[in-house]
Protein backbone atom coordinates (compact mmCIF):
# COMPACT_ATOMS: atom_id res chain seq x y z
CA UNK A 1 0.00 0.00 0.00
CA UNK A 2 1.30 3.47 -0.90
CA UNK A 3 2.77 5.64 1.85
CA UNK A 4 0.22 8.36 1.05
CA UNK A 5 -2.67 5.99 1.84
CA UNK A 6 -1.06 5.07 5.17
CA UNK A 7 -0.71 8.77 6.00
CA UNK A 8 -4.37 9.37 5.11
CA UNK A 9 -5.51 6.59 7.44
CA UNK A 10 -3.25 7.92 10.20
CA UNK A 11 -4.69 11.41 9.76
CA UNK A 12 -8.26 10.06 9.89
CA UNK A 13 -7.47 8.25 13.13
CA UNK A 14 -5.73 11.25 14.74
CA UNK A 15 -8.66 13.51 13.76
CA UNK A 16 -11.06 11.08 15.45
CA UNK A 17 -12.98 10.17 12.28
CA UNK A 18 -12.32 6.41 12.52
CA UNK A 19 -10.99 4.17 15.32
CA UNK A 20 -7.51 2.70 15.04
CA UNK A 21 -8.75 -0.88 14.69
CA UNK A 22 -11.01 0.13 11.77
CA UNK A 23 -8.05 1.83 10.05
CA UNK A 24 -6.01 -1.35 10.50
CA UNK A 25 -8.81 -3.45 8.99
CA UNK A 26 -9.01 -1.12 5.97
CA UNK A 27 -5.23 -1.19 5.57
CA UNK A 28 -5.18 -5.00 5.65
CA UNK A 29 -8.08 -5.31 3.20
CA UNK A 30 -6.36 -2.92 0.78
CA UNK A 31 -3.14 -4.99 0.91
CA UNK A 32 -5.00 -8.29 0.42
CA UNK A 33 -7.37 -7.22 -2.37
CA UNK A 34 -5.47 -4.43 -4.09
CA UNK A 35 -8.52 -2.17 -3.73
CA UNK A 36 -7.71 1.49 -3.09
CA UNK A 37 -8.11 2.73 0.50
CA UNK A 38 -10.38 5.55 -0.73
CA UNK A 39 -12.71 3.05 -2.44
CA UNK A 40 -12.95 0.86 0.68
CA UNK A 41 -13.72 3.86 2.89
CA UNK A 42 -16.37 5.11 0.45
CA UNK A 43 -17.95 1.66 -0.11
CA UNK A 44 -18.31 1.06 3.61
CA UNK A 45 -19.43 4.67 4.34
CA UNK A 46 -16.76 4.94 7.03
CA UNK A 47 -15.99 8.65 6.52
CA UNK A 48 -17.55 11.54 4.63
CA UNK A 49 -16.04 12.79 1.37
CA UNK A 50 -15.06 16.03 3.08
CA UNK A 51 -13.26 14.29 5.96
CA UNK A 52 -11.38 12.08 3.49
CA UNK A 53 -10.40 15.09 1.38
CA UNK A 54 -9.14 16.95 4.47
CA UNK A 55 -7.07 13.94 5.55
CA UNK A 56 -5.64 13.55 2.04
CA UNK A 57 -4.77 17.26 1.88
CA UNK A 58 -3.00 17.01 5.24
CA UNK A 59 -1.00 13.95 4.13
CA UNK A 60 0.12 15.77 0.96
CA UNK A 61 0.89 19.04 2.75
CA UNK A 62 -1.67 20.95 0.64
CA UNK A 63 -4.09 23.53 2.04
CA UNK A 64 -7.76 22.47 2.20
CA UNK A 65 -10.54 24.94 1.38
CA UNK A 66 -14.30 24.89 1.95
CA UNK A 67 -16.10 26.77 -0.82
CA UNK A 68 -19.60 26.68 0.64
CA UNK A 69 -20.56 30.12 1.93
CA UNK A 70 -17.70 31.94 0.15
CA UNK A 71 -18.61 34.91 -2.02
CA UNK A 72 -16.61 34.47 -5.23
CA UNK A 73 -16.40 37.61 -7.37
CA UNK A 74 -17.33 37.44 -11.08
CA UNK A 75 -13.92 38.64 -12.28
CA UNK A 76 -12.27 35.61 -10.60
CA UNK A 77 -14.66 33.13 -12.24
CA UNK A 78 -13.97 34.49 -15.71
CA UNK A 79 -10.29 33.41 -15.59
CA UNK A 80 -11.34 29.77 -16.11
CA UNK A 81 -14.09 28.89 -18.61
CA UNK A 82 -16.95 26.65 -17.51
CA UNK A 83 -16.01 23.67 -19.78
CA UNK A 84 -12.51 23.58 -18.24
CA UNK A 85 -13.89 23.79 -14.69
CA UNK A 86 -16.31 20.92 -15.34
CA UNK A 87 -13.83 18.71 -17.20
CA UNK A 88 -11.14 18.85 -14.50
CA UNK A 89 -13.46 19.33 -11.48
CA UNK A 90 -11.98 22.60 -10.25
CA UNK A 91 -13.10 26.13 -9.55
CA UNK A 92 -11.24 29.45 -9.06
CA UNK A 93 -12.20 31.25 -5.83
CA UNK A 94 -9.69 34.03 -5.13
CA UNK A 95 -7.13 36.24 -6.80
CA UNK A 96 -4.27 38.13 -5.24
CA UNK A 97 -4.05 41.85 -5.94
CA UNK A 98 -1.74 43.19 -8.63
CA UNK A 99 -1.19 42.39 -12.29
CA UNK A 100 0.77 39.24 -11.43
CA UNK A 101 -1.26 38.10 -8.42
CA UNK A 102 -1.76 34.33 -8.17
CA UNK A 103 -5.12 32.71 -8.87
CA UNK A 104 -6.30 30.36 -6.10
CA UNK A 105 -8.04 27.27 -7.49
CA UNK A 106 -9.88 24.55 -5.57
CA UNK A 107 -9.14 21.19 -7.21
CA UNK A 108 -10.10 17.58 -6.81
CA UNK A 109 -6.52 16.63 -7.73
CA UNK A 110 -4.13 19.48 -6.86
CA UNK A 111 -1.15 17.29 -7.83
CA UNK A 112 -2.10 17.20 -11.51
CA UNK A 113 0.72 19.44 -12.70
CA UNK A 114 -0.28 19.18 -16.36
CA UNK A 115 -3.68 20.70 -15.54
CA UNK A 116 -2.03 23.40 -13.41
CA UNK A 117 0.32 24.30 -16.28
CA UNK A 118 -2.66 24.42 -18.66
CA UNK A 119 -4.56 26.73 -16.26
CA UNK A 120 -1.57 29.05 -15.99
CA UNK A 121 -1.43 29.41 -19.78
CA UNK A 122 -5.21 29.84 -20.00
CA UNK A 123 -5.49 32.45 -17.25
CA UNK A 124 -2.15 34.20 -17.59
CA UNK A 125 -1.70 33.88 -13.83
CA UNK A 126 0.33 31.73 -11.46
CA UNK A 127 -1.93 29.02 -10.01
CA UNK A 128 -2.12 28.34 -6.28
CA UNK A 129 -3.78 24.89 -5.92
CA UNK A 130 -6.03 23.97 -2.98
CA UNK A 131 -7.71 20.69 -2.09
CA UNK A 132 -11.53 20.57 -1.89
CA UNK A 133 -14.00 17.72 -1.87
CA UNK A 134 -15.95 16.82 -5.01
CA UNK A 135 -19.50 17.83 -3.97
CA UNK A 136 -18.31 21.24 -2.76
CA UNK A 137 -16.56 21.95 -6.09
CA UNK A 138 -19.54 20.75 -8.15
CA UNK A 139 -21.97 22.87 -6.12
CA UNK A 140 -19.77 25.94 -6.68
CA UNK A 141 -19.56 25.27 -10.43
CA UNK A 142 -23.36 25.08 -10.58
CA UNK A 143 -23.79 28.27 -8.56
CA UNK A 144 -21.14 30.28 -10.43
CA UNK A 145 -21.50 29.14 -14.03
CA UNK A 146 -24.97 27.67 -14.57
CA UNK A 147 -26.83 30.67 -13.24
CA UNK A 148 -24.68 33.02 -15.34
CA UNK A 149 -24.92 35.82 -12.80
CA UNK A 150 -21.16 36.26 -12.64
CA UNK A 151 -20.78 36.49 -16.41
CA UNK A 152 -23.65 38.99 -16.73
CA UNK A 153 -22.30 41.25 -14.01
CA UNK A 154 -18.66 41.01 -15.14
CA UNK A 155 -19.61 41.97 -18.69
CA UNK A 156 -21.57 44.91 -17.36
CA UNK A 157 -18.70 45.92 -15.07
CA UNK A 158 -16.28 45.94 -17.98
CA UNK A 159 -18.60 48.28 -19.86
CA UNK A 160 -19.17 50.55 -16.85
CA UNK A 161 -15.51 51.10 -15.97
CA UNK A 162 -14.78 53.75 -18.64
CA UNK A 163 -18.26 55.28 -18.32
CA UNK A 164 -17.94 55.95 -14.61
CA UNK A 165 -14.51 57.49 -15.12
CA UNK A 166 -15.61 59.83 -17.91
CA UNK A 167 -18.78 61.22 -16.28
CA UNK A 168 -18.71 63.86 -13.59
CA UNK A 169 -20.37 63.25 -10.22
CA UNK A 170 -23.13 65.70 -11.06
CA UNK A 171 -24.04 63.66 -14.14
CA UNK A 172 -24.54 60.37 -12.30
CA UNK A 173 -28.22 60.32 -13.29
CA UNK A 174 -27.10 60.08 -16.90
CA UNK A 175 -24.82 57.13 -16.13
CA UNK A 176 -27.39 55.02 -14.36
CA UNK A 177 -29.75 55.08 -17.31
CA UNK A 178 -27.08 53.47 -19.47
CA UNK A 179 -27.38 49.75 -20.25
CA UNK A 180 -24.49 48.36 -18.12
CA UNK A 181 -25.77 49.50 -14.69
CA UNK A 182 -29.31 48.53 -15.66
CA UNK A 183 -27.93 45.13 -16.66
CA UNK A 184 -26.29 44.64 -13.25
CA UNK A 185 -29.53 45.43 -11.40
CA UNK A 186 -31.51 43.24 -13.78
CA UNK A 187 -29.06 40.33 -13.29
CA UNK A 188 -29.33 40.67 -9.49
CA UNK A 189 -33.14 40.57 -9.65
CA UNK A 190 -33.26 37.70 -12.16
CA UNK A 191 -31.02 35.68 -9.85
CA UNK A 192 -33.37 36.44 -6.95
CA UNK A 193 -36.38 35.08 -8.87
CA UNK A 194 -34.42 32.07 -10.11
CA UNK A 195 -33.34 30.93 -6.64
CA UNK A 196 -36.71 31.76 -4.98
CA UNK A 197 -35.31 34.55 -2.78
CA UNK A 198 -37.67 36.52 -0.54
CA UNK A 199 -35.24 39.42 0.04
CA UNK A 200 -32.17 40.93 -1.62
CA UNK A 201 -29.59 42.81 0.48
CA UNK A 202 -27.12 45.15 -1.25
CA UNK A 203 -24.62 46.09 1.46
CA UNK A 204 -21.66 48.49 1.17
CA UNK A 205 -18.54 47.22 2.94
CA UNK A 206 -14.96 48.47 3.05
CA UNK A 207 -13.74 48.44 -0.55
CA UNK A 208 -16.59 46.35 -2.01
CA UNK A 209 -20.35 45.85 -2.08
CA UNK A 210 -21.90 42.57 -0.97
CA UNK A 211 -25.09 41.11 -2.46
CA UNK A 212 -26.94 38.57 -0.29
CA UNK A 213 -30.18 36.68 -0.91
CA UNK A 214 -32.57 35.31 1.69
CA UNK A 215 -33.70 31.88 0.50
CA UNK A 216 -36.07 29.83 2.67
CA UNK A 217 -35.35 32.19 5.56
CA UNK A 218 -31.52 31.91 5.42
CA UNK A 219 -29.22 34.60 3.99
CA UNK A 220 -26.79 33.44 1.30
CA UNK A 221 -23.84 35.46 0.06
CA UNK A 222 -23.77 35.19 -3.73
CA UNK A 223 -21.93 38.15 -5.22
CA UNK A 224 -19.36 40.89 -4.56
CA UNK A 225 -19.36 44.11 -6.60
CA UNK A 226 -16.55 46.69 -6.76
CA UNK A 227 -17.33 49.59 -4.44
CA UNK A 228 -17.09 52.01 -7.38
CA UNK A 229 -20.42 50.64 -8.65
CA UNK A 230 -22.22 51.13 -5.31
CA UNK A 231 -23.67 54.61 -5.94
CA UNK A 232 -24.69 53.86 -9.51
CA UNK A 233 -26.46 50.59 -8.61
CA UNK A 234 -28.28 52.19 -5.67
CA UNK A 235 -29.31 55.16 -7.79
CA UNK A 236 -30.63 52.86 -10.51
CA UNK A 237 -32.79 51.06 -7.93
CA UNK A 238 -33.96 54.42 -6.52
CA UNK A 239 -35.12 55.54 -9.95
CA UNK A 240 -37.04 52.29 -10.46
CA UNK A 241 -38.66 52.66 -7.01
CA UNK A 242 -39.52 56.36 -7.54
CA UNK A 243 -37.25 57.54 -4.70
CA UNK A 244 -35.08 60.66 -4.38
CA UNK A 245 -31.65 60.03 -5.90
CA UNK A 246 -29.94 62.96 -4.20
CA UNK A 247 -31.21 62.14 -0.70
CA UNK A 248 -28.53 59.95 0.87
CA UNK A 249 -28.74 61.05 4.51
CA UNK A 250 -32.21 59.71 5.37
CA UNK A 251 -33.87 56.29 4.99
CA UNK A 252 -36.33 55.99 2.09
CA UNK A 253 -39.01 53.53 0.99
CA UNK A 254 -40.37 52.75 -2.46
CA UNK A 255 -41.70 49.99 -4.67
CA UNK A 256 -41.70 48.76 -8.28
CA UNK A 257 -42.60 45.69 -10.32
CA UNK A 258 -40.16 43.40 -12.10
CA UNK A 259 -41.00 40.72 -14.65
CA UNK A 260 -38.86 37.80 -15.85
CA UNK A 261 -40.62 35.51 -18.31
CA UNK A 262 -43.89 34.43 -16.74
CA UNK A 263 -42.77 35.43 -13.22
CA UNK A 264 -43.72 38.87 -11.96
CA UNK A 265 -42.79 40.22 -8.53
CA UNK A 266 -43.65 43.32 -6.57
CA UNK A 267 -40.54 44.74 -4.89
CA UNK A 268 -40.66 46.79 -1.68
CA UNK A 269 -37.44 48.80 -1.51
CA UNK A 270 -35.87 50.26 1.62
CA UNK A 271 -32.65 52.28 1.78
CA UNK A 272 -30.62 53.06 4.89
CA UNK A 273 -27.49 55.26 5.17
CA UNK A 274 -24.53 53.38 6.69
CA UNK A 275 -20.93 54.47 7.32
CA UNK A 276 -19.81 52.99 3.98
CA UNK A 277 -22.76 54.11 1.85
CA UNK A 278 -26.45 53.35 1.42
CA UNK A 279 -27.67 49.83 2.12
CA UNK A 280 -30.62 48.60 0.04
CA UNK A 281 -33.01 45.82 1.01
CA UNK A 282 -35.61 44.65 -1.52
CA UNK A 283 -38.51 42.43 -0.40
CA UNK A 284 -39.87 40.30 -3.26
CA UNK A 285 -43.60 39.58 -3.22
CA UNK A 286 -44.87 37.22 -5.89
CA UNK A 287 -47.84 38.41 -7.91
CA UNK A 288 -48.66 34.91 -9.07
CA UNK A 289 -48.80 31.51 -7.40
CA UNK A 290 -51.92 31.98 -5.30
CA UNK A 291 -52.47 31.76 -1.57
CA UNK A 292 -51.62 28.39 0.02
CA UNK A 293 -54.27 26.35 1.83
CA UNK A 294 -53.96 25.68 5.57
CA UNK A 295 -52.85 22.03 5.04
CA UNK A 296 -50.25 23.23 2.51
CA UNK A 297 -48.85 25.53 5.21
CA UNK A 298 -48.45 22.51 7.51
CA UNK A 299 -51.57 22.76 9.69
CA UNK A 300 -53.23 19.43 10.40
CA UNK A 301 -54.96 17.25 12.96
CA UNK A 302 -56.55 18.79 16.04
CA UNK A 303 -54.96 22.22 15.45
CA UNK A 304 -56.53 22.44 11.97
CA UNK A 305 -59.89 21.27 13.31
CA UNK A 306 -59.90 23.84 16.13
CA UNK A 307 -58.90 26.67 13.77
CA UNK A 308 -61.62 25.76 11.26
CA UNK A 309 -64.18 25.74 14.09
CA UNK A 310 -62.95 29.10 15.41
CA UNK A 311 -63.12 30.89 12.05
CA UNK A 312 -66.68 29.66 11.45
CA UNK A 313 -67.92 31.53 14.53
CA UNK A 314 -69.62 34.85 13.62
CA UNK A 315 -67.69 36.98 16.14
CA UNK A 316 -64.66 36.95 18.41
CA UNK A 317 -60.89 37.39 18.12
CA UNK A 318 -58.43 34.89 16.65
CA UNK A 319 -54.76 35.70 17.29
CA UNK A 320 -51.65 34.40 15.53
CA UNK A 321 -48.42 34.86 17.49
CA UNK A 322 -44.74 34.58 16.66
CA UNK A 323 -41.67 36.72 15.92
CA UNK A 324 -41.15 38.78 12.77
CA UNK A 325 -40.84 36.58 9.69
CA UNK A 326 -42.65 33.58 11.16
CA UNK A 327 -45.38 33.55 8.49
CA UNK A 328 -48.24 35.00 10.54
CA UNK A 329 -49.60 37.17 7.73
CA UNK A 330 -49.51 34.31 5.21
CA UNK A 331 -51.54 32.13 7.59
CA UNK A 332 -54.13 34.89 8.01
CA UNK A 333 -54.36 35.34 4.23
CA UNK A 334 -55.04 31.59 3.92
CA UNK A 335 -57.86 31.95 6.44
CA UNK A 336 -59.33 34.97 4.60
CA UNK A 337 -59.23 33.01 1.34
CA UNK A 338 -61.50 30.40 2.98
CA UNK A 339 -63.96 33.01 4.30
CA UNK A 340 -63.96 35.29 1.25
CA UNK A 341 -67.28 35.33 -0.62
CA UNK A 342 -69.87 37.83 -1.85
CA UNK A 343 -71.98 37.50 1.31
CA UNK A 344 -69.44 39.01 3.72
CA UNK A 345 -67.62 42.33 3.91
CA UNK A 346 -63.95 41.65 4.70
CA UNK A 347 -61.67 44.58 5.55
CA UNK A 348 -57.94 44.46 6.30
CA UNK A 349 -55.60 47.03 7.82
CA UNK A 350 -51.99 46.13 7.02
CA UNK A 351 -48.42 47.40 7.11
CA UNK A 352 -47.75 46.82 4.27
CA UNK A 353 -50.34 45.08 2.08
CA UNK A 354 -48.29 42.04 1.02
CA UNK A 355 -50.75 40.24 -1.27
CA UNK A 356 -53.81 41.61 -3.02
CA UNK A 357 -56.91 39.44 -2.55
CA UNK A 358 -59.79 39.92 -4.98
CA UNK A 359 -63.01 40.85 -3.18
CA UNK A 360 -61.29 42.02 0.03
CA UNK A 361 -61.06 45.70 1.03
CA UNK A 362 -57.38 46.12 1.91
CA UNK A 363 -56.00 49.29 3.49
CA UNK A 364 -52.35 50.13 4.05
CA UNK A 365 -51.57 52.19 7.13
CA UNK A 366 -49.97 55.60 6.60
CA UNK A 367 -48.75 57.05 9.93
CA UNK A 368 -47.52 60.23 8.23
CA UNK A 369 -51.11 60.97 7.19
CA UNK A 370 -52.52 59.95 10.57
CA UNK A 371 -53.76 56.51 9.45
CA UNK A 372 -52.49 53.97 11.97
CA UNK A 373 -53.93 50.70 13.26
CA UNK A 374 -56.08 52.46 15.88
CA UNK A 375 -57.52 55.23 13.66
CA UNK A 376 -58.04 52.78 10.79
CA UNK A 377 -59.85 50.29 13.00
CA UNK A 378 -62.11 53.03 14.36
CA UNK A 379 -63.05 53.94 10.78
CA UNK A 380 -63.60 50.29 9.87
CA UNK A 381 -66.37 49.99 12.46
CA UNK A 382 -68.37 52.57 10.47
CA UNK A 383 -67.94 50.56 7.22
CA UNK A 384 -70.35 47.73 8.12
CA UNK A 385 -67.70 44.95 8.17
CA UNK A 386 -68.31 41.28 8.96
CA UNK A 387 -64.64 40.27 9.18
CA UNK A 388 -61.72 42.53 10.14
CA UNK A 389 -58.00 41.79 9.88
CA UNK A 390 -55.73 44.09 11.87
CA UNK A 391 -52.09 43.57 10.89
CA UNK A 392 -50.78 43.81 14.45
CA UNK A 393 -52.00 44.67 17.95
CA UNK A 394 -49.22 46.79 19.40
CA UNK A 395 -50.81 49.38 21.75
CA UNK A 396 -53.63 49.84 24.24
CA UNK A 397 -55.95 51.73 21.89
CA UNK A 398 -55.78 49.06 19.16
CA UNK A 399 -56.27 46.34 21.79
CA UNK A 400 -59.41 47.96 23.18
CA UNK A 401 -60.86 48.66 19.73
CA UNK A 402 -60.23 45.06 18.56
CA UNK A 403 -61.98 43.68 21.66
CA UNK A 404 -64.86 46.14 21.22
CA UNK A 405 -65.24 45.05 17.58
CA UNK A 406 -65.29 41.37 18.58
CA UNK A 407 -67.87 41.94 21.32
CA UNK A 408 -70.17 43.88 18.97
CA UNK A 409 -70.54 41.04 16.48
CA UNK A 410 -67.42 41.15 14.29
CA UNK A 411 -64.89 38.39 13.60
CA UNK A 412 -61.44 39.90 14.19
CA UNK A 413 -58.08 38.45 13.15
CA UNK A 414 -54.76 39.90 14.27
CA UNK A 415 -51.15 39.12 15.21
CA UNK A 416 -49.10 39.56 18.37
CA UNK A 417 -45.34 39.46 18.90
CA UNK A 418 -45.05 36.79 21.59
CA UNK A 419 -42.81 33.73 21.62
CA UNK A 420 -45.64 31.21 21.86
CA UNK A 421 -49.42 30.90 21.95
CA UNK A 422 -49.66 30.80 25.75
CA UNK A 423 -48.07 34.26 26.01
CA UNK A 424 -50.89 35.97 24.07
CA UNK A 425 -53.38 36.35 26.92
CA UNK A 426 -50.88 37.85 29.43
CA UNK A 427 -49.66 40.14 26.62
CA UNK A 428 -53.17 41.49 25.93
CA UNK A 429 -53.64 42.18 29.64
CA UNK A 430 -50.23 43.93 29.74
CA UNK A 431 -51.46 46.15 26.88
CA UNK A 432 -54.33 47.34 29.10
CA UNK A 433 -57.17 44.96 28.23
CA UNK A 434 -59.52 43.95 31.05
CA UNK A 435 -59.24 40.20 31.78
CA UNK A 436 -63.02 39.67 31.73
CA UNK A 437 -63.23 41.29 28.25
CA UNK A 438 -60.34 39.14 26.95
CA UNK A 439 -62.04 36.00 28.29
CA UNK A 440 -65.29 36.96 26.53
CA UNK A 441 -63.81 38.08 23.20
CA UNK A 442 -61.01 35.59 22.48
CA UNK A 443 -61.88 32.50 20.37
CA UNK A 444 -58.50 30.88 19.72
CA UNK A 445 -54.75 31.55 19.81
CA UNK A 446 -52.15 30.07 17.50
CA UNK A 447 -48.36 30.23 17.71
CA UNK A 448 -46.17 29.46 14.70
CA UNK A 449 -42.68 29.35 13.21
CA UNK A 450 -41.35 28.56 9.73
CA UNK A 451 -38.87 25.73 9.11
CA UNK A 452 -37.20 24.84 5.83
CA UNK A 453 -38.75 21.88 4.03
CA UNK A 454 -36.49 19.00 2.97
CA UNK A 455 -35.83 18.65 -0.75
CA UNK A 456 -37.78 15.55 -1.90
CA UNK A 457 -35.27 14.85 -4.67
CA UNK A 458 -32.13 14.43 -2.56
CA UNK A 459 -33.32 13.64 0.97
CA UNK A 460 -32.05 10.49 2.65
CA UNK A 461 -32.96 8.75 5.89
CA UNK A 462 -30.59 7.95 8.73
CA UNK A 463 -30.71 6.59 12.26
CA UNK A 464 -30.00 9.31 14.88
CA UNK A 465 -27.66 8.90 17.82
CA UNK A 466 -29.15 7.29 20.95
CA UNK A 467 -29.23 10.59 22.89
CA UNK A 468 -31.09 12.37 20.05
CA UNK A 469 -33.57 9.50 19.69
CA UNK A 470 -34.20 9.53 23.45
CA UNK A 471 -34.84 13.30 23.40
CA UNK A 472 -37.30 12.90 20.51
CA UNK A 473 -39.18 10.11 22.33
CA UNK A 474 -39.31 12.20 25.49
CA UNK A 475 -40.74 15.23 23.67
CA UNK A 476 -43.32 13.53 21.42
CA UNK A 477 -44.34 10.88 23.97
CA UNK A 478 -47.41 8.89 22.90
CA UNK A 479 -47.85 11.04 19.75
CA UNK A 480 -45.36 8.73 17.98
CA UNK A 481 -46.20 5.03 18.42
CA UNK A 482 -43.56 3.12 20.40
CA UNK A 483 -43.44 0.35 17.77
CA UNK A 484 -42.47 2.85 15.04
CA UNK A 485 -38.70 3.22 14.50
CA UNK A 486 -37.05 6.58 15.26
CA UNK A 487 -35.70 7.42 11.82
CA UNK A 488 -34.77 10.96 10.71
CA UNK A 489 -34.06 12.53 7.32
CA UNK A 490 -31.55 14.99 5.91
CA UNK A 491 -30.95 16.75 2.61
CA UNK A 492 -27.93 15.32 0.83
CA UNK A 493 -27.64 18.20 -1.66
CA UNK A 494 -26.42 15.86 -4.39
CA UNK A 495 -27.90 13.18 -6.64
CA UNK A 496 -25.44 10.56 -7.96
CA UNK A 497 -22.52 12.80 -7.03
CA UNK A 498 -23.92 15.82 -8.91
CA UNK A 499 -25.41 18.90 -7.25
CA UNK A 500 -29.18 18.49 -6.85
CA UNK A 501 -30.90 20.67 -9.48
CA UNK A 502 -34.10 20.99 -7.43
CA UNK A 503 -32.57 22.64 -4.35
CA UNK A 504 -29.25 23.91 -5.74
CA UNK A 505 -27.29 21.78 -3.29
CA UNK A 506 -28.81 23.21 -0.09
CA UNK A 507 -30.84 20.08 0.74
CA UNK A 508 -33.93 22.22 1.36
CA UNK A 509 -36.74 23.29 -0.98
CA UNK A 510 -39.46 25.62 0.28
CA UNK A 511 -40.77 26.06 3.80
CA UNK A 512 -43.50 24.76 6.07
CA UNK A 513 -45.08 25.95 9.27
CA UNK A 514 -44.66 24.53 12.77
CA UNK A 515 -47.76 25.29 14.85
CA UNK A 516 -49.43 25.15 18.24
CA UNK A 517 -53.07 26.16 18.75
CA UNK A 518 -55.61 26.16 21.54
CA UNK A 519 -59.27 27.27 21.61
CA UNK A 520 -60.20 29.44 24.59
CA UNK A 521 -62.12 26.92 26.67
CA UNK A 522 -64.01 27.56 29.93
CA UNK A 523 -60.96 26.54 31.95
CA UNK A 524 -58.64 28.87 30.03
CA UNK A 525 -61.21 31.67 30.44
CA UNK A 526 -61.07 31.11 34.22
CA UNK A 527 -57.27 31.33 34.13
CA UNK A 528 -57.60 34.59 32.15
CA UNK A 529 -59.92 36.09 34.78
CA UNK A 530 -57.40 35.30 37.52
CA UNK A 531 -54.48 36.76 35.50
CA UNK A 532 -52.71 33.39 35.51
CA UNK A 533 -49.18 33.01 34.18
CA UNK A 534 -48.18 31.94 30.71
CA UNK A 535 -46.98 28.60 32.11
CA UNK A 536 -50.36 27.89 33.73
CA UNK A 537 -52.19 28.61 30.48
CA UNK A 538 -49.81 26.38 28.51
CA UNK A 539 -50.21 23.52 31.01
CA UNK A 540 -54.01 23.71 30.75
CA UNK A 541 -53.91 23.92 26.91
CA UNK A 542 -51.68 20.80 26.76
CA UNK A 543 -54.07 19.03 29.16
CA UNK A 544 -56.88 19.83 26.70
CA UNK A 545 -54.94 18.31 23.77
CA UNK A 546 -52.71 21.07 22.39
CA UNK A 547 -49.63 19.82 20.55
CA UNK A 548 -46.73 22.22 21.21
CA UNK A 549 -44.65 23.73 18.42
CA UNK A 550 -41.67 21.58 19.36
CA UNK A 551 -43.80 18.41 19.30
CA UNK A 552 -45.31 19.40 15.94
CA UNK A 553 -41.83 20.05 14.57
CA UNK A 554 -40.43 16.73 15.85
CA UNK A 555 -43.36 14.85 14.29
CA UNK A 556 -42.72 16.56 10.94
CA UNK A 557 -39.02 15.66 11.21
CA UNK A 558 -39.92 12.00 11.90
CA UNK A 559 -42.19 12.04 8.85
CA UNK A 560 -39.41 13.39 6.62
CA UNK A 561 -40.85 16.86 5.99
CA UNK A 562 -37.96 18.71 7.65
CA UNK A 563 -34.84 18.08 9.75
CA UNK A 564 -34.44 17.95 13.51
CA UNK A 565 -31.85 20.76 13.23
CA UNK A 566 -34.43 23.04 11.59
CA UNK A 567 -36.98 22.34 14.30
CA UNK A 568 -34.47 23.16 17.04
CA UNK A 569 -33.43 26.30 15.16
CA UNK A 570 -36.95 27.74 15.03
CA UNK A 571 -38.88 26.11 17.89
CA UNK A 572 -36.38 25.49 20.70
CA UNK A 573 -37.59 26.92 24.01
Amino acid sequence: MAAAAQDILSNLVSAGHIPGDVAETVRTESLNTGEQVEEILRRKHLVSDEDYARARASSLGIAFVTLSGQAITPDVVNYIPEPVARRYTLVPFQIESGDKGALSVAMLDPLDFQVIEFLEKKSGRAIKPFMAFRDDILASIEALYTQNLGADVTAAMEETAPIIKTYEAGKLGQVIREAPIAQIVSAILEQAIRIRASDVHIEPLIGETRVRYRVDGILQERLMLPHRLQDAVVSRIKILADMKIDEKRLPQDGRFNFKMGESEVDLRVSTLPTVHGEKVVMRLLKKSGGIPTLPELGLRGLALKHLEQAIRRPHGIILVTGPTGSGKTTTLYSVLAILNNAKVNIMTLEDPVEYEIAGVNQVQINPAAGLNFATGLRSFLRQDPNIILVGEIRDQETTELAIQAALTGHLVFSTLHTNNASGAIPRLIDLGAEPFLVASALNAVMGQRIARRLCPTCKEEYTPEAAVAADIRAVVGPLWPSDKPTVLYRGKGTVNGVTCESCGGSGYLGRLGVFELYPVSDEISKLTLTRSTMKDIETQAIKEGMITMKQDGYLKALEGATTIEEVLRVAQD
Side-chain angles (χ1 to χ4, degrees), residues 174-186:
Q174 208 172 341
V175 177
I176 61 176
R177 289 180 177 85
E178 299 293 331
I181 294 296
Q183 187 181 342
I184 289 176
V185 174
S186 181

Side-chain angles (χ1 to χ4, degrees), residues 78 136 144 170 189 240 258 267 270 318 350 357 379 416 482:
N78 281 357
D136 199 16
L144 295 169
L189 294 177
L240 292 171
F258 182 78
L267 291 110
S270 170
I318 296 168
E350 305 172 61
I357 309 173
S379 300
L416 265 182
S482 56

Side-chain angles (χ1 to χ4, degrees), residues 249-266:
R249 299 167 300 167
L250 297 173
Q252 294 189 66
D253 295 300
R255 62 186 291 181
F256 66 96
N257 291 342
F258 182 78
K259 191 170 185 179
M260 183 182 81
E262 297 298 315
S263 300
E264 186 174 3
V265 292
D266 183 14

Side-chain angles (χ1 to χ4, degrees), residues 267-287:
L267 291 110
R268 306 295 168 87
V269 183
S270 170
T271 65
L272 183 73
T274 72
V275 291
H276 300 299
E278 286 184 282
K279 175 182 176 179
V280 178
V281 174
M282 294 182 280
R283 164 67 58 88
L284 281 74
L285 302 170
K286 281 188 178 180
K287 287 201 159 190

Side-chain angles (χ1 to χ4, degrees), residues 196 215-218 292-300 449-459 489-492 500 502-515 553 556-557 559-567 569-570:
R196 305 173 293 104
V215 182
D216 294 334
I218 305 295
T293 64
L294 293 174
E296 285 171 351
L297 291 175
L299 260 171
R300 61 199 184 158
R449 299 286 191 278
I450 296 183
R452 289 182 290 173
R453 190 188 294 270
L454 270 171
C455 173
T457 307
C458 66
K459 76 175 179 181
Y489 298 81
R490 59 191 168 204
K492 201 174 176 186
C500 177
S502 301
C503 65
S506 70
Y508 296 96
L509 184 64
R511 295 192 283 178
L512 81 162
V514 178
F515 302 93
K556 283 168 179 167
E559 292 162 2
T562 186
T563 64
I564 205 75
E565 292 80 11
E566 274 296 291
V567 176
R569 181 177 69 85
V570 302

Side-chain angles (χ1 to χ4, degrees), residues 460-473 480 484-490 554 557-558 563-565 568:
E460 62 177 5
E461 68 173 49
Y462 70 99
T463 303
E465 295 177 6
V468 175
D471 174 60
I472 293 170
R473 287 290 182 184
W480 189 256
K484 274 193 175 184
T486 307
V487 176
L488 296 177
Y489 298 81
R490 59 191 168 204
Y554 274 19
L558 288 166
T563 64
I564 205 75
E565 292 80 11
L568 293 173

Side-chain angles (χ1 to χ4, degrees), residues 402-419:
I403 290 174
Q404 178 190 336
L407 294 174
T408 53
H410 304 90
L411 186 59
V412 180
F413 296 95
S414 191
T415 69
L416 265 182
H417 283 288
T418 62
N419 287 332

